[in-house]
PDB file of all heavy atoms in Angstrom:
ATOM      1  N   ILE A   1       0.886  -1.148  -0.020  1.00  0.00           N
ATOM      2  CA  ILE A   1       0.000   0.029   0.051  1.00  0.00           C
ATOM      3  C   ILE A   1       0.848   1.244  -0.042  1.00  0.00           C
ATOM      4  O   ILE A   1       1.776   1.361   0.917  1.00  0.00           O
ATOM      5  CB  ILE A   1      -1.000   0.046   1.244  1.00  0.00           C
ATOM      6  CG1 ILE A   1      -1.721  -1.253   1.366  1.00  0.00           C
ATOM      7  CG2 ILE A   1      -1.702   1.318   1.285  1.00  0.00           C
ATOM      8  CD1 ILE A   1      -2.783  -1.437   0.206  1.00  0.00           C
ATOM      9  N   LEU A   2       0.733   2.072  -1.007  1.00  0.00           N
ATOM     10  CA  LEU A   2       1.457   3.389  -1.047  1.00  0.00           C
ATOM     11  C   LEU A   2       0.693   4.333  -0.152  1.00  0.00           C
ATOM     12  O   LEU A   2      -0.482   4.709  -0.669  1.00  0.00           O
ATOM     13  CB  LEU A   2       1.650   3.768  -2.446  1.00  0.00           C
ATOM     14  CG  LEU A   2       2.410   2.831  -3.332  1.00  0.00           C
ATOM     15  CD1 LEU A   2       2.537   3.299  -4.820  1.00  0.00           C
ATOM     16  CD2 LEU A   2       3.750   2.481  -2.861  1.00  0.00           C
ATOM     17  N   THR A   3       1.215   4.867   0.888  1.00  0.00           N
ATOM     18  CA  THR A   3       0.320   5.539   1.826  1.00  0.00           C
ATOM     19  C   THR A   3       0.354   7.045   1.717  1.00  0.00           C
ATOM     20  O   THR A   3      -0.431   7.766   2.252  1.00  0.00           O
ATOM     21  CB  THR A   3       0.938   5.153   3.337  1.00  0.00           C
ATOM     22  OG1 THR A   3       2.284   5.623   3.383  1.00  0.00           O
ATOM     23  CG2 THR A   3       0.703   3.782   3.603  1.00  0.00           C
ATOM     24  N   THR A   4       1.208   7.581   0.869  1.00  0.00           N
ATOM     25  CA  THR A   4       1.153   8.962   0.579  1.00  0.00           C
ATOM     26  C   THR A   4       1.186   9.224  -0.975  1.00  0.00           C
ATOM     27  O   THR A   4       1.618   8.430  -1.716  1.00  0.00           O
ATOM     28  CB  THR A   4       2.496   9.813   1.030  1.00  0.00           C
ATOM     29  OG1 THR A   4       3.588   9.159   0.390  1.00  0.00           O
ATOM     30  CG2 THR A   4       2.656   9.565   2.504  1.00  0.00           C
ATOM     31  N   PRO A   5       0.450  10.290  -1.426  1.00  0.00           N
ATOM     32  CA  PRO A   5       0.310  10.492  -2.863  1.00  0.00           C
ATOM     33  C   PRO A   5       1.485  10.707  -3.630  1.00  0.00           C
ATOM     34  O   PRO A   5       1.568  10.430  -4.873  1.00  0.00           O
ATOM     35  CB  PRO A   5      -0.596  11.777  -2.935  1.00  0.00           C
ATOM     36  CG  PRO A   5      -1.185  11.888  -1.608  1.00  0.00           C
ATOM     37  CD  PRO A   5      -0.259  11.310  -0.611  1.00  0.00           C
ATOM     38  N   ASP A   6       2.658  10.984  -2.964  1.00  0.00           N
ATOM     39  CA  ASP A   6       3.927  11.177  -3.702  1.00  0.00           C
ATOM     40  C   ASP A   6       4.886   9.970  -3.542  1.00  0.00           C
ATOM     41  O   ASP A   6       6.006  10.083  -3.982  1.00  0.00           O
ATOM     42  CB  ASP A   6       4.554  12.455  -3.202  1.00  0.00           C
ATOM     43  CG  ASP A   6       4.971  12.468  -1.738  1.00  0.00           C
ATOM     44  OD1 ASP A   6       4.382  11.643  -1.049  1.00  0.00           O
ATOM     45  OD2 ASP A   6       5.713  13.374  -1.305  1.00  0.00           O
ATOM     46  N   ALA A   7       4.396   8.884  -2.985  1.00  0.00           N
ATOM     47  CA  ALA A   7       5.368   7.744  -2.770  1.00  0.00           C
ATOM     48  C   ALA A   7       5.889   7.147  -4.023  1.00  0.00           C
ATOM     49  O   ALA A   7       7.140   6.844  -4.096  1.00  0.00           O
ATOM     50  CB  ALA A   7       4.503   6.661  -2.002  1.00  0.00           C
ATOM     51  N   LEU A   8       5.020   7.050  -5.009  1.00  0.00           N
ATOM     52  CA  LEU A   8       5.555   6.479  -6.329  1.00  0.00           C
ATOM     53  C   LEU A   8       6.461   7.454  -7.002  1.00  0.00           C
ATOM     54  O   LEU A   8       7.513   7.139  -7.529  1.00  0.00           O
ATOM     55  CB  LEU A   8       4.363   6.134  -7.218  1.00  0.00           C
ATOM     56  CG  LEU A   8       4.735   5.501  -8.636  1.00  0.00           C
ATOM     57  CD1 LEU A   8       5.580   4.288  -8.391  1.00  0.00           C
ATOM     58  CD2 LEU A   8       3.471   5.191  -9.412  1.00  0.00           C
ATOM     59  N   ALA A   9       6.162   8.851  -6.975  1.00  0.00           N
ATOM     60  CA  ALA A   9       6.983   9.864  -7.534  1.00  0.00           C
ATOM     61  C   ALA A   9       8.377   9.823  -6.834  1.00  0.00           C
ATOM     62  O   ALA A   9       9.389   9.973  -7.586  1.00  0.00           O
ATOM     63  CB  ALA A   9       6.393  11.247  -7.386  1.00  0.00           C
ATOM     64  N   LYS A  10       8.422   9.667  -5.550  1.00  0.00           N
ATOM     65  CA  LYS A  10       9.754   9.607  -4.881  1.00  0.00           C
ATOM     66  C   LYS A  10      10.507   8.389  -5.219  1.00  0.00           C
ATOM     67  O   LYS A  10      11.783   8.510  -5.525  1.00  0.00           O
ATOM     68  CB  LYS A  10       9.479   9.557  -3.281  1.00  0.00           C
ATOM     69  CG  LYS A  10       9.107  10.940  -2.771  1.00  0.00           C
ATOM     70  CD  LYS A  10       8.869  10.846  -1.252  1.00  0.00           C
ATOM     71  CE  LYS A  10       8.449  12.139  -0.614  1.00  0.00           C
ATOM     72  NZ  LYS A  10       8.151  11.999   0.794  1.00  0.00           N
ATOM     73  N   PHE A  11       9.870   7.282  -5.341  1.00  0.00           N
ATOM     74  CA  PHE A  11      10.591   6.032  -5.786  1.00  0.00           C
ATOM     75  C   PHE A  11      11.098   6.233  -7.177  1.00  0.00           C
ATOM     76  O   PHE A  11      12.236   5.874  -7.529  1.00  0.00           O
ATOM     77  CB  PHE A  11       9.625   4.821  -5.737  1.00  0.00           C
ATOM     78  CG  PHE A  11      10.240   3.521  -5.986  1.00  0.00           C
ATOM     79  CD1 PHE A  11      10.941   2.887  -5.000  1.00  0.00           C
ATOM     80  CD2 PHE A  11      10.178   3.007  -7.299  1.00  0.00           C
ATOM     81  CE1 PHE A  11      11.532   1.685  -5.270  1.00  0.00           C
ATOM     82  CE2 PHE A  11      10.707   1.790  -7.589  1.00  0.00           C
ATOM     83  CZ  PHE A  11      11.514   1.073  -6.533  1.00  0.00           C
ATOM     84  N   MET A  12      10.303   6.860  -8.104  1.00  0.00           N
ATOM     85  CA  MET A  12      10.709   7.036  -9.372  1.00  0.00           C
ATOM     86  C   MET A  12      11.901   8.076  -9.552  1.00  0.00           C
ATOM     87  O   MET A  12      12.756   7.875 -10.421  1.00  0.00           O
ATOM     88  CB  MET A  12       9.510   7.660 -10.282  1.00  0.00           C
ATOM     89  CG  MET A  12       8.485   6.567 -10.658  1.00  0.00           C
ATOM     90  SD  MET A  12       9.116   5.161 -11.630  1.00  0.00           S
ATOM     91  CE  MET A  12       9.644   6.010 -13.086  1.00  0.00           C
ATOM     92  N   ASN A  13      11.886   8.970  -8.660  1.00  0.00           N
ATOM     93  CA  ASN A  13      13.082   9.867  -8.619  1.00  0.00           C
ATOM     94  C   ASN A  13      14.398   9.124  -8.448  1.00  0.00           C
ATOM     95  O   ASN A  13      15.355   9.456  -9.094  1.00  0.00           O
ATOM     96  CB  ASN A  13      12.902  10.965  -7.553  1.00  0.00           C
ATOM     97  CG  ASN A  13      13.963  11.888  -7.502  1.00  0.00           C
ATOM     98  OD1 ASN A  13      14.299  12.521  -8.533  1.00  0.00           O
ATOM     99  ND2 ASN A  13      14.476  12.121  -6.371  1.00  0.00           N
ATOM    100  N   TYR A  14      14.381   8.131  -7.564  1.00  0.00           N
ATOM    101  CA  TYR A  14      15.555   7.312  -7.306  1.00  0.00           C
ATOM    102  C   TYR A  14      15.746   6.323  -8.459  1.00  0.00           C
ATOM    103  O   TYR A  14      16.932   6.158  -8.991  1.00  0.00           O
ATOM    104  CB  TYR A  14      15.435   6.572  -5.995  1.00  0.00           C
ATOM    105  CG  TYR A  14      15.663   7.381  -4.867  1.00  0.00           C
ATOM    106  CD1 TYR A  14      14.772   7.843  -3.960  1.00  0.00           C
ATOM    107  CD2 TYR A  14      17.016   7.671  -4.461  1.00  0.00           C
ATOM    108  CE1 TYR A  14      15.052   8.594  -2.847  1.00  0.00           C
ATOM    109  CE2 TYR A  14      17.341   8.446  -3.299  1.00  0.00           C
ATOM    110  CZ  TYR A  14      16.362   8.872  -2.604  1.00  0.00           C
ATOM    111  OH  TYR A  14      16.560   9.650  -1.419  1.00  0.00           O
ATOM    112  N   LEU A  15      14.660   5.808  -9.005  1.00  0.00           N
ATOM    113  CA  LEU A  15      14.832   4.806 -10.115  1.00  0.00           C
ATOM    114  C   LEU A  15      15.451   5.541 -11.342  1.00  0.00           C
ATOM    115  O   LEU A  15      16.291   4.918 -12.035  1.00  0.00           O
ATOM    116  CB  LEU A  15      13.416   4.334 -10.488  1.00  0.00           C
ATOM    117  CG  LEU A  15      13.432   3.183 -11.474  1.00  0.00           C
ATOM    118  CD1 LEU A  15      14.291   1.988 -11.088  1.00  0.00           C
ATOM    119  CD2 LEU A  15      12.004   2.762 -11.794  1.00  0.00           C
ATOM    120  N   GLU A  16      15.052   6.831 -11.588  1.00  0.00           N
ATOM    121  CA  GLU A  16      15.743   7.396 -12.785  1.00  0.00           C
ATOM    122  C   GLU A  16      17.205   7.762 -12.516  1.00  0.00           C
ATOM    123  O   GLU A  16      17.840   8.136 -13.504  1.00  0.00           O
ATOM    124  CB  GLU A  16      14.831   8.702 -13.015  1.00  0.00           C
ATOM    125  CG  GLU A  16      13.559   8.421 -13.507  1.00  0.00           C
ATOM    126  CD  GLU A  16      12.570   9.581 -13.583  1.00  0.00           C
ATOM    127  OE1 GLU A  16      12.908  10.646 -12.985  1.00  0.00           O
ATOM    128  OE2 GLU A  16      11.484   9.418 -14.259  1.00  0.00           O
ATOM    129  N   LYS A  17      17.721   7.610 -11.374  1.00  0.00           N
ATOM    130  CA  LYS A  17      19.156   7.849 -11.128  1.00  0.00           C
ATOM    131  C   LYS A  17      19.944   6.503 -11.180  1.00  0.00           C
ATOM    132  O   LYS A  17      21.137   6.517 -11.001  1.00  0.00           O
ATOM    133  CB  LYS A  17      19.244   8.423  -9.780  1.00  0.00           C
ATOM    134  CG  LYS A  17      18.756   9.852  -9.761  1.00  0.00           C
ATOM    135  CD  LYS A  17      18.874  10.316  -8.164  1.00  0.00           C
ATOM    136  CE  LYS A  17      18.200  11.761  -8.176  1.00  0.00           C
ATOM    137  NZ  LYS A  17      18.105  12.282  -6.796  1.00  0.00           N
ATOM    138  N   THR A  18      19.230   5.409 -11.437  1.00  0.00           N
ATOM    139  CA  THR A  18      20.022   4.120 -11.445  1.00  0.00           C
ATOM    140  C   THR A  18      20.488   3.830 -12.836  1.00  0.00           C
ATOM    141  O   THR A  18      19.965   4.399 -13.872  1.00  0.00           O
ATOM    142  CB  THR A  18      18.987   2.942 -11.056  1.00  0.00           C
ATOM    143  OG1 THR A  18      17.988   2.819 -12.150  1.00  0.00           O
ATOM    144  CG2 THR A  18      18.471   3.072  -9.684  1.00  0.00           C
ATOM    145  N   GLY A  19      21.490   2.976 -12.975  1.00  0.00           N
ATOM    146  CA  GLY A  19      21.995   2.488 -14.249  1.00  0.00           C
ATOM    147  C   GLY A  19      21.145   1.492 -14.870  1.00  0.00           C
ATOM    148  O   GLY A  19      20.295   0.953 -14.116  1.00  0.00           O
ATOM    149  N   PRO A  20      21.522   1.192 -16.068  1.00  0.00           N
ATOM    150  CA  PRO A  20      20.612   0.183 -16.982  1.00  0.00           C
ATOM    151  C   PRO A  20      20.441  -1.171 -16.373  1.00  0.00           C
ATOM    152  O   PRO A  20      19.695  -1.934 -16.567  1.00  0.00           O
ATOM    153  CB  PRO A  20      21.106   0.199 -18.281  1.00  0.00           C
ATOM    154  CG  PRO A  20      22.546   0.840 -18.105  1.00  0.00           C
ATOM    155  CD  PRO A  20      22.545   1.624 -16.952  1.00  0.00           C
ATOM    156  N   ASP A  21      21.484  -1.553 -15.486  1.00  0.00           N
ATOM    157  CA  ASP A  21      21.587  -2.864 -14.872  1.00  0.00           C
ATOM    158  C   ASP A  21      21.489  -2.865 -13.466  1.00  0.00           C
ATOM    159  O   ASP A  21      21.708  -3.890 -12.782  1.00  0.00           O
ATOM    160  CB  ASP A  21      22.831  -3.674 -15.362  1.00  0.00           C
ATOM    161  CG  ASP A  21      22.781  -3.861 -16.863  1.00  0.00           C
ATOM    162  OD1 ASP A  21      21.816  -4.410 -17.248  1.00  0.00           O
ATOM    163  OD2 ASP A  21      23.717  -3.484 -17.581  1.00  0.00           O
ATOM    164  N   ASP A  22      20.950  -1.791 -12.810  1.00  0.00           N
ATOM    165  CA  ASP A  22      20.788  -1.658 -11.369  1.00  0.00           C
ATOM    166  C   ASP A  22      19.318  -2.117 -11.089  1.00  0.00           C
ATOM    167  O   ASP A  22      18.441  -1.975 -11.915  1.00  0.00           O
ATOM    168  CB  ASP A  22      20.944  -0.254 -10.894  1.00  0.00           C
ATOM    169  CG  ASP A  22      22.351   0.187 -10.857  1.00  0.00           C
ATOM    170  OD1 ASP A  22      23.189  -0.699 -10.552  1.00  0.00           O
ATOM    171  OD2 ASP A  22      22.598   1.324 -11.006  1.00  0.00           O
ATOM    172  N   ILE A  23      19.083  -2.723  -9.908  1.00  0.00           N
ATOM    173  CA  ILE A  23      17.786  -3.048  -9.486  1.00  0.00           C
ATOM    174  C   ILE A  23      17.573  -2.284  -8.143  1.00  0.00           C
ATOM    175  O   ILE A  23      18.411  -2.381  -7.297  1.00  0.00           O
ATOM    176  CB  ILE A  23      17.728  -4.578  -9.309  1.00  0.00           C
ATOM    177  CG1 ILE A  23      18.046  -5.350 -10.598  1.00  0.00           C
ATOM    178  CG2 ILE A  23      16.249  -4.963  -8.785  1.00  0.00           C
ATOM    179  CD1 ILE A  23      18.138  -6.876 -10.417  1.00  0.00           C
ATOM    180  N   LEU A  24      16.512  -1.639  -8.100  1.00  0.00           N
ATOM    181  CA  LEU A  24      16.153  -0.811  -6.966  1.00  0.00           C
ATOM    182  C   LEU A  24      15.021  -1.464  -6.112  1.00  0.00           C
ATOM    183  O   LEU A  24      14.008  -1.768  -6.756  1.00  0.00           O
ATOM    184  CB  LEU A  24      15.733   0.587  -7.471  1.00  0.00           C
ATOM    185  CG  LEU A  24      15.372   1.683  -6.452  1.00  0.00           C
ATOM    186  CD1 LEU A  24      16.519   2.139  -5.749  1.00  0.00           C
ATOM    187  CD2 LEU A  24      14.613   2.783  -7.141  1.00  0.00           C
ATOM    188  N   GLY A  25      15.028  -1.314  -4.844  1.00  0.00           N
ATOM    189  CA  GLY A  25      13.992  -1.843  -3.995  1.00  0.00           C
ATOM    190  C   GLY A  25      13.875  -1.056  -2.709  1.00  0.00           C
ATOM    191  O   GLY A  25      14.719  -0.160  -2.336  1.00  0.00           O
ATOM    192  N   VAL A  26      12.966  -1.442  -1.911  1.00  0.00           N
ATOM    193  CA  VAL A  26      12.546  -0.636  -0.721  1.00  0.00           C
ATOM    194  C   VAL A  26      13.003  -1.595   0.551  1.00  0.00           C
ATOM    195  O   VAL A  26      12.865  -1.055   1.628  1.00  0.00           O
ATOM    196  CB  VAL A  26      11.184  -0.359  -0.581  1.00  0.00           C
ATOM    197  CG1 VAL A  26      10.652   0.721  -1.679  1.00  0.00           C
ATOM    198  CG2 VAL A  26      10.176  -1.493  -0.624  1.00  0.00           C
ATOM    199  N   ALA A  27      13.432  -2.774   0.276  1.00  0.00           N
ATOM    200  CA  ALA A  27      13.832  -3.535   1.424  1.00  0.00           C
ATOM    201  C   ALA A  27      14.788  -4.563   0.843  1.00  0.00           C
ATOM    202  O   ALA A  27      14.707  -5.097  -0.279  1.00  0.00           O
ATOM    203  CB  ALA A  27      12.611  -4.350   2.029  1.00  0.00           C
ATOM    204  N   GLY A  28      15.849  -4.787   1.684  1.00  0.00           N
ATOM    205  CA  GLY A  28      16.957  -5.847   1.147  1.00  0.00           C
ATOM    206  C   GLY A  28      18.007  -6.047   2.231  1.00  0.00           C
ATOM    207  O   GLY A  28      17.841  -5.721   3.444  1.00  0.00           O
ATOM    208  N   THR A  29      19.111  -6.472   1.778  1.00  0.00           N
ATOM    209  CA  THR A  29      20.251  -6.727   2.594  1.00  0.00           C
ATOM    210  C   THR A  29      21.396  -6.146   2.024  1.00  0.00           C
ATOM    211  O   THR A  29      21.675  -5.943   0.913  1.00  0.00           O
ATOM    212  CB  THR A  29      20.480  -8.238   2.805  1.00  0.00           C
ATOM    213  OG1 THR A  29      20.980  -8.851   1.459  1.00  0.00           O
ATOM    214  CG2 THR A  29      19.322  -8.973   3.353  1.00  0.00           C
ATOM    215  N   LYS A  30      22.307  -5.890   2.998  1.00  0.00           N
ATOM    216  CA  LYS A  30      23.767  -5.481   2.676  1.00  0.00           C
ATOM    217  C   LYS A  30      24.564  -6.428   3.508  1.00  0.00           C
ATOM    218  O   LYS A  30      24.365  -6.413   4.726  1.00  0.00           O
ATOM    219  CB  LYS A  30      23.961  -4.049   3.028  1.00  0.00           C
ATOM    220  CG  LYS A  30      25.329  -3.561   2.533  1.00  0.00           C
ATOM    221  CD  LYS A  30      25.475  -1.995   2.592  1.00  0.00           C
ATOM    222  CE  LYS A  30      26.789  -1.508   2.335  1.00  0.00           C
ATOM    223  NZ  LYS A  30      27.228  -1.663   0.916  1.00  0.00           N
ATOM    224  N   PHE A  31      25.352  -7.208   2.945  1.00  0.00           N
ATOM    225  CA  PHE A  31      26.000  -8.299   3.705  1.00  0.00           C
ATOM    226  C   PHE A  31      26.693  -7.845   4.944  1.00  0.00           C
ATOM    227  O   PHE A  31      26.758  -8.586   5.881  1.00  0.00           O
ATOM    228  CB  PHE A  31      26.950  -9.083   2.756  1.00  0.00           C
ATOM    229  CG  PHE A  31      26.264  -9.809   1.645  1.00  0.00           C
ATOM    230  CD1 PHE A  31      26.793  -9.990   0.452  1.00  0.00           C
ATOM    231  CD2 PHE A  31      24.904 -10.302   1.770  1.00  0.00           C
ATOM    232  CE1 PHE A  31      26.081 -10.614  -0.618  1.00  0.00           C
ATOM    233  CE2 PHE A  31      24.258 -10.894   0.867  1.00  0.00           C
ATOM    234  CZ  PHE A  31      24.861 -11.106  -0.300  1.00  0.00           C
ATOM    235  N   GLU A  32      27.290  -6.619   5.053  1.00  0.00           N
ATOM    236  CA  GLU A  32      28.047  -6.210   6.214  1.00  0.00           C
ATOM    237  C   GLU A  32      27.010  -5.771   7.282  1.00  0.00           C
ATOM    238  O   GLU A  32      27.503  -5.446   8.401  1.00  0.00           O
ATOM    239  CB  GLU A  32      28.861  -4.912   5.796  1.00  0.00           C
ATOM    240  CG  GLU A  32      29.911  -5.163   4.728  1.00  0.00           C
ATOM    241  CD  GLU A  32      29.306  -5.023   3.332  1.00  0.00           C
ATOM    242  OE1 GLU A  32      28.574  -4.116   3.034  1.00  0.00           O
ATOM    243  OE2 GLU A  32      29.557  -5.821   2.502  1.00  0.00           O
ATOM    244  N   ILE A  33      25.824  -5.599   6.996  1.00  0.00           N
ATOM    245  CA  ILE A  33      24.781  -5.183   8.096  1.00  0.00           C
ATOM    246  C   ILE A  33      23.826  -6.358   8.318  1.00  0.00           C
ATOM    247  O   ILE A  33      23.159  -6.791   7.500  1.00  0.00           O
ATOM    248  CB  ILE A  33      24.029  -3.946   7.486  1.00  0.00           C
ATOM    249  CG1 ILE A  33      24.920  -2.765   7.181  1.00  0.00           C
ATOM    250  CG2 ILE A  33      22.942  -3.600   8.578  1.00  0.00           C
ATOM    251  CD1 ILE A  33      24.386  -1.652   6.529  1.00  0.00           C
TER     252      ILE A  33
END
């Protein structure tokens, strides 16, 4: 559930900064953490 009207726009702002082979998500792991 996207709880604010700008949630998708904020996600898209980050997605547009990724490279062609990057995968962007809202939850995940970093092996050191």
Side-chain angles (χ1 to χ4, degrees):
I1 304 295
L2 303 178
T3 58
T4 62
D6 63 345
L8 184 57
K10 286 180 179 178
F11 186 82
M12 287 301 299
N13 182 51
Y14 281 103
L15 186 56
E16 289 169 350
K17 295 174 184 174
T18 63
D21 294 306
D22 289 330
I23 303 172
L24 178 71
V26 297
T29 64
K30 187 167 178 65
F31 296 147
E32 301 83 44
I33 302 171

